């Protein structure tokens, strides 16, 4: 989770909070009259609400729910241009991640009880977990022809939970820029993107929360257009008989063992900065320190921080230079090996 650092502007920017995608959202806009800023922010939040309904995997009035029903029944599904684009982009990211980012494992996510607003201990049938994992649902199983989608795998069920926060960061940035906003910070459940700087000319700053403490372990200054995202085991999880199970379901075997405490990825400015930061955290999480550098290179970033199960911080050299470590920082910090390509 990323917590916003306080602004130092003499006149406070316009700030509005909401609760969308099952998470806290905060949009901060500076440099505009309050009435204009309010109008722009309302528009951004309205788009979030719309997308939340559309992409909700278990809300029956949502487009994604209806698509999943059609796939399970073995019949074609109708998809609009927006949803088709999300699927195509998701397939590209899935390929880059060697299937470790897997938006088609919605049935496994549901089996573990994470298609719910609160999480109670669940012990799914191991045979069913193994069966669904063995079916290897992949977005490569889908074919889109115009507005018609078909699947060769009826066990595939779309769940964009590992993608939507970053996607909406990019959408929010585009909408804010189109409305003339040049100074803003958007925080969607701890995934953050920056526009410009604070009104006093200093960079926007976020604080990276310690995954096992209710305080920040580091502060990060964001450049214009940069996005940062954290994937971890400390928000959506449950404990059962002394074991922690988190919402990060391993597509290889369907397990929910929390092998790492958290992964934070910083992505430099670009049209997909938010989406790439959000998505890249998943293969990096499952690959761990040994394979993190490979996936960071594929998604185009040298900025990665991992906190392993023992609480040791593994940080890339480039990211270590950007972080201002605080008193709650992990005592053990090791250098994360990176790859150039």
């Amino acid at each position: 989770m990323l917590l916003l650092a306080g602004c130092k502007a003499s006149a406070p920017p316009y700030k509005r909070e909401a609760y969308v995608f099952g998470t806290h959202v905060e949009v901060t806009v500076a440099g505009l009259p309050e009435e204009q800023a309010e109008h722009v922010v309302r528009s951004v939040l309205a788009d979030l609400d719309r997308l939340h309904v559309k992409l909700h995997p278990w809300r029956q009035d949502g487009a994604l729910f209806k698509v999943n029903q059609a796939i399970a029944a073995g019949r074609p599904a109708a998809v609009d241009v927006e949803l088709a684009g999300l699927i195509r982009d998701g397939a590209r990211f899935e390929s880059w991640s060697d299937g470790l980012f897997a938006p088609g494992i919605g049935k496994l996510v549901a089996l573990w009880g994470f298609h719910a607003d609160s999480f109670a201990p669940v012990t799914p049938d191991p045979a069913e977990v193994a069966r669904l994992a063995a079916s290897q649902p992949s977005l490569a199983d889908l074919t889109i022809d115009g507005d018609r989608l078909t699947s060769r795998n009826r066990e595939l069920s779309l769940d964009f939970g590992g993608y939507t926060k970053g996607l909406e960061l990019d959408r929010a940035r585009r909408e804010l820029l189109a409305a003339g906003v040049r100074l803003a910070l958007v925080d969607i459940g701890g995934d953050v993107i920056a526009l410009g700087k604070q009104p006093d000319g200093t960079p926007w700053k976020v604080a990276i929360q310690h995954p096992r403490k209710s305080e920040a372990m580091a502060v990060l200054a964001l450049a214009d257009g940069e996005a940062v995202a954290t994937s971890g085991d400390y928000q959506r999880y449950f404990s059962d008989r002394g074991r922690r199970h988190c919402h990060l379901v391993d597509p290889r075997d369907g397990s929910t063992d929390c092998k790492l405490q958290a992964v934070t990825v910083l992505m430099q400015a670009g049209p997909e900065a938010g989406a790439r930061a959000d998505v890249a955290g998943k293969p990096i999480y499952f690959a761990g320190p040994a394979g993190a550098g490979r996936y960071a290179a594929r998604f185009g970033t040298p900025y990665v921080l991992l906190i392993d199960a023992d609480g040791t911080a593994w940080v890339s050299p480039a990211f270590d230079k950007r972080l201002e470590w605080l008193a709650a920082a992990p005592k053990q910090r090791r250098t994360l090996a990176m790859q150039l390509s």
Side-chain angles (χ1 to χ4, degrees):
M1 181 178 180
L2 297 167
L3 305 175
L4 298 187
C7 299
K8 300 178 181 179
S10 56
Y14 178 81
K15 183 181 297 185
R16 189 176 182 91
E17 300 180 31
Y19 192 76
V20 188
F21 287 126
T23 194
H24 176 260
V25 177
E26 186 172 280
V27 182
T28 304
V29 169
L32 289 182
E34 182 174 342
E35 183 177 347
Q36 185 179 352
E38 181 181 9
H39 175 76
V40 173
V41 172
R42 283 184 182 275
S43 178
V44 169
L45 294 177
D47 187 59
L48 267 174
D49 282 328
R50 181 192 64 81
L51 204 62
H52 171 66
V53 173
K54 184 172 187 174
L55 299 183
H56 201 300
W58 69 92
R59 183 165 167 167
Q60 296 187 14
D61 58 343
L64 198 65
F65 181 86
K66 296 172 183 176
V67 168
N68 285 336
Q69 278 190 316
I71 292 173
R75 52 182 171 79
V79 292
D80 61 16
V81 173
E82 181 179 54
L83 186 52
L86 293 181
I87 292 170
R88 290 189 178 102
D89 288 342
R92 174 165 49 94
F93 293 148
E94 183 183 69
S95 176
W96 291 357
S97 74
D98 296 324
L100 294 180
F101 166 68
I105 62 167
K107 288 187 178 182
L108 276 169
V109 177
L111 195 63
W112 278 103
F114 289 109
H115 278 183
D117 294 324
S118 60
F119 316 117
V122 172
T123 306
D125 180 359
E128 182 64 4
V129 171
R131 186 188 72 81
L132 288 174
S135 72
Q136 298 184 308
S138 165
L139 299 195
D141 294 324
L142 301 177
T143 299
I144 299 174
D145 184 7
D147 62 355
R148 184 175 180 268
L149 177 145
T150 55
S151 175
R152 64 188 179 195
N153 186 346
R154 291 173 65 167
E155 300 302 341
L156 185 147
S157 182
L158 293 167
D159 182 339
F160 290 117
Y163 178 23
T164 47
K165 290 196 296 183
L167 169 75
E168 190 57 36
L169 287 180
D170 295 327
R171 294 171 66 95
R173 179 175 180 271
R174 289 195 298 269
E175 188 169 351
L176 289 168
L177 287 172
V181 176
R182 295 296 179 265
L183 309 176
L185 197 68
V186 182
D187 178 345
I188 302 177
D191 290 8
V192 182
I193 197 163
L195 278 74
K197 298 182 178 181
Q198 297 189 73
D200 65 358
T202 61
W204 295 104
K205 291 185 177 182
V206 294
I208 302 175
Q209 182 177 320
H210 193 292
R212 292 294 183 269
K213 300 177 182 179
S214 58
E215 57 186 310
M217 60 181 176
V219 174
L220 171 67
L222 294 176
D224 180 27
E226 287 188 329
V228 62
T230 295
S231 301
D233 72 353
Y234 56 95
Q235 286 186 309
R236 295 167 57 86
Y237 74 94
F238 64 84
S239 296
D240 184 27
R241 288 170 286 188
R243 292 181 62 188
R244 182 185 288 247
H245 297 272
C246 64
H247 73 289
L248 295 164
V249 180
D250 192 328
R252 295 169 295 189
D253 59 10
S255 68
T256 56
D257 297 332
C258 307
K259 299 176 178 64
L260 298 179
Q261 294 182 14
V263 170
T264 297
V265 177
L266 171 68
M267 196 68 58
Q268 292 176 302
E272 296 179 328
R276 289 195 187 200
D278 197 9
V279 171
K282 281 67 181 180
I284 289 172
Y285 182 92
F286 292 124
R294 177 171 68 256
Y295 292 112
R298 286 190 187 176
F299 281 85
T301 180
Y303 304 111
V304 179
L305 166 66
L306 287 72
I307 308 297
D308 68 18
D310 296 326
T312 298
W314 295 77
V315 59
S316 64
F319 206 16
D320 198 21
K321 294 176 182 178
R322 295 280 302 267
L323 292 170
E324 178 188 341
W325 294 101
L326 303 177
K331 301 304 180 185
Q332 297 293 324
R333 296 204 292 272
R334 303 185 66 176
T335 298
L336 184 65
M338 301 298 287
Q339 295 184 8
L340 297 178
S341 61

